[in-house]
Amino acid sequence: MLNLLKADLYRITRPRGLRGSLWQYLAVCAVFYVLIYLVFWMIAGGFDFSTGAITSLTTFSSPSAMIGDMMSGIFPLFVCFFVVEHVLADFKDGFARTLVSARAGRLSYFAERIVFAGIVTVIVFCSLSLLTVVLGLAVDTRFAAMDAPLAFLGWAVAICLNAWALAVISLIVAYATRIVPLSYIVAFCIAGSLVPDGLSLIAGLIQGYAPGLMGISDVLREFACWMPSNLETWLCNGGAQAMAAGWGELGAALPGTGLTQAILAPALWIAAASAVVLAICRARDI
């Protein structure tokens, strides 16, 4: 597995000519981020030529709030699309068929893809966070308070775990169908809040039109609170959000703060989704 990881990391980070797919994705994000900052900076007043001063773009409650605000929606979509593209490319290029010849080796290969998704998640988080901080400093962004180191670390772990869980869930469809357009569409729906929003809508309809089924409505609302996409959106409000109470009745009943739920929920999703991925890949031909 270690050799496979080394090979995959080299493939996505090939330094010669920056041909690795990671650089391509990050370049697109960098352009997108710069355009956003330029637009808001110009709205805020930009550069004062009379005094030579830079007008502060805005004031965030904390660095984690700034990073979370910029990564909201982009980070999980980046990770899901990147991982789906990488694993499907192995089938398109015939790499998987030439590498895996036995069922025992097959499970190791697909398990490596799950670990690879987690490593990519951390790399992307660190890269986008660094890009956000650099751009924030360039436009003199200010903070009302600074995150405590341990609180920031816990928030970062939680946001990465939820994005990793979304990536592994996306792998289920990618490996089950191996249809590129469908895999991307489903990954988009999973990375966004379409699924939990849909569950909340159904729960609201049940509450309004079928009050006798309130038990089902409550279960759907609680389930939506434990979905990684919802937790990811929740965490993008910053580290202070993770220090608040948990989300939903079960989340609020957990010991500690909402960070407990934000770490426990994706861990359960990763374990369940990994089991499904391995079961699908073990049964299907390469």
Side-chain angles (χ1 to χ4, degrees):
M1 181 182 290
L2 183 59
N3 290 333
L4 283 173
L5 279 174
K6 290 180 179 178
D8 278 336
L9 292 176
Y10 174 76
R11 287 166 62 192
I12 67 173
T13 60
R14 283 179 292 180
R16 187 175 181 179
L18 298 180
R19 291 181 296 174
S21 55
L22 179 64
W23 308 123
Q24 299 168 10
Y25 271 73
L26 288 177
V28 172
C29 282
V31 172
F32 183 71
Y33 274 32
V34 169
L35 289 175
I36 290 178
Y37 267 95
L38 283 176
V39 169
F40 282 98
W41 185 44
M42 292 174 64
I43 293 175
F47 185 79
D48 188 342
F49 290 95
S50 61
T51 62
I54 297 176
T55 302
S56 178
L57 176 65
T58 187
T59 299
F60 287 95
S61 60
S62 65
S64 64
M66 179 185 69
I67 294 172
D69 183 68
M70 284 300 296
M71 290 200 301
S72 177
I74 298 177
F75 175 47
L77 189 64
F78 185 136
V79 173
C80 290
F81 273 23
F82 189 89
V83 171
V84 166
E85 177 185 344
H86 185 77
V87 300
L88 289 180
D90 287 351
F91 293 101
K92 179 180 179 181
D93 301 336
F95 179 74
R97 184 178 294 275
T98 58
L99 183 65
V100 181
S101 59
R103 289 189 180 273
R106 174 183 301 184
L107 290 181
S108 176
Y109 167 78
F110 291 111
E112 182 271 340
R113 289 298 181 266
I114 295 171
V115 176
F116 169 78
I119 295 175
V120 166
T121 301
V122 175
I123 293 175
V124 173
F125 174 80
C126 293
S127 300
L128 295 184
S129 296
L130 179 61
L131 176 61
T132 302
V133 170
V134 170
L135 289 174
L137 293 176
V139 296
D140 193 28
T141 300
R142 299 168 186 174
F143 308 108
M146 301 300 292
D147 296 286
L150 288 179
F152 182 87
L153 179 61
W155 171 80
V157 169
I159 203 169
C160 285
L161 280 174
N162 280 280
W164 183 16
L166 293 171
V168 180
I169 295 171
S170 299
L171 288 181
I172 295 176
V173 179
Y175 280 132
T177 65
R178 300 181 191 175
I179 301 175
V180 176
L182 179 62
S183 298
Y184 278 113
I185 292 172
V186 174
F188 176 81
C189 295
I190 291 172
S193 299
L194 294 179
V195 177
D197 286 349
L199 292 178
S200 298
L201 175 61
I202 294 173
L205 292 174
I206 291 175
Q207 182 178 357
Y209 297 99
L213 301 177
M214 280 298 297
I216 297 177
S217 176
D218 293 339
V219 170
L220 292 177
R221 291 184 188 277
E222 190 67 35
F223 186 71
C225 293
W226 285 75
M227 300 195 72
S229 54
N230 251 356
L231 290 170
E232 190 79 6
T233 302
W234 186 60
L235 288 167
C236 281
N237 292 319
Q241 184 69 63
M243 295 298 103
W247 202 4
E249 293 185 7
L250 290 178
L254 290 174
T257 62
L259 189 62
T260 304
Q261 180 185 15
I263 291 177
L264 176 62
L268 295 175
W269 279 101
I270 291 170
S274 298
V276 175
V277 167
L278 294 178
I280 291 172
C281 296
R282 183 175 183 179
R284 290 202 63 182
D285 293 331
I286 298 297

